[in-house]
Amino acid sequence: MMATTGITGPRADMVRNRRLLLDAATEAFAEQGLEASMGDIAQRAGLAKGTVFRHFPTKEDLLSAIMLRLLDRLAGAAGQLLEADDAAAALREFMTDGVETLAADRAFCEVIGRPSLQQSEVRDAIADLCVAVEALTARAREQGVIRGDVTGTDIVLLLGGIHQTAAPLLDTQPQAWRRYLELALDSLRTTRPSRLPEEPPGRPEVSAP
């Protein structure tokens, strides 16, 4: 008889249900923002509504778990990019992936300032992400491709800042965040490009007063 590995029995069901709920909640919040209901999340996961509350007694608990998942993914991406030879390209790839991830999630801007971000686990995960990104940023500083005063915390904060800047345009210009990312990257460089990147079509015009 072959030996079984991993978690089995009721505990395996709990792990599976939690994963299904997090997948469903991430999808629902990304599409609908914080208006997504626990009932809709349960339906998407194919589970009873009571199962949601057994795993996540409040919506804040669920949002906290989703944020932990996101922060862990970003920290892992930063760690992998430390192996890249070109620190500038690695930093660009990290920031592009990070802002693109946030731009696909309608709930992100709504979560800022909510109690879910104040939970100790989430604060610790944010600190861990800043440490991981600091290592990535330090390599770029050492290679002389970004300003010497730029920190990992600066980069993490810029991810959210770029997304929030472009958020009002995302319904009509879903790629608007790329322009603001380029502007941010330009401000980080030790040498500036001869001209700004080509503007995306449909850029909003600002009338002179």
Side-chain angles (χ1 to χ4, degrees):
M1 176 183 292
M2 293 179 61
T4 57
T5 60
I7 303 171
T8 59
R11 179 166 171 74
D13 290 339
M14 289 181 62
V15 171
R16 170 183 170 277
N17 289 346
R18 181 182 175 85
R19 177 179 54 77
L20 289 173
L21 288 170
L22 285 174
D23 288 346
T26 299
E27 180 182 87
F29 287 134
E31 292 175 4
Q32 304 171 29
L34 299 188
E35 294 301 314
S37 70
M38 301 295 255
D40 178 41
I41 291 167
Q43 185 175 27
R44 286 175 184 248
L47 299 169
K49 189 174 179 180
T51 303
V52 181
F53 291 105
R54 281 196 293 275
H55 285 270
F56 307 103
T58 69
K59 184 175 281 189
E60 295 299 338
D61 293 323
L62 183 52
L63 288 170
S64 175
I66 291 172
M67 287 301 298
L68 286 170
R69 212 186 208 192
L70 171 63
L71 293 166
D72 183 65
R73 191 181 80 75
L74 290 174
Q80 289 181 354
L81 286 167
L82 282 174
E83 303 299 321
D85 292 331
D86 187 335
L91 189 60
R92 168 185 282 275
E93 182 177 339
F94 172 77
M95 292 184 70
T96 301
D97 179 57
V99 181
E100 186 170 27
T101 298
L102 300 181
D105 188 343
R106 286 189 56 184
F108 178 77
C109 285
E110 300 174 46
V111 169
I112 300 300
R114 288 181 65 98
S116 50
L117 282 187
Q118 303 309 313
Q119 293 191 13
S120 60
E121 285 184 313
V122 176
R123 292 201 306 269
D124 290 345
I126 292 172
D128 290 343
L129 173 61
C130 289
V131 170
V133 180
E134 173 57 31
L136 194 64
T137 307
R139 291 189 66 245
R141 291 196 305 266
E142 290 165 4
Q143 291 186 13
V145 293
I146 63 170
R147 291 167 34 177
D149 61 342
V150 177
T151 68
T153 299
D154 292 332
I155 299 300
V156 171
L157 292 175
L158 277 172
L159 298 182
I162 293 165
H163 168 52
Q164 291 191 66
T165 299
L169 305 174
L170 290 179
D171 285 342
T172 56
Q173 300 176 52
Q175 298 299 309
W177 61 268
R178 293 185 183 277
R179 169 177 169 77
Y180 299 105
L181 173 61
E182 289 298 333
L183 291 173
L185 287 167
D186 184 25
S187 72
L188 299 175
R189 295 186 182 102
T190 51
T191 57
R192 305 295 177 84
S194 58
R195 66 183 181 88
L196 289 175
E198 185 175 339
E199 297 173 0
R203 174 173 170 262
E205 296 181 0
V206 179
S207 301

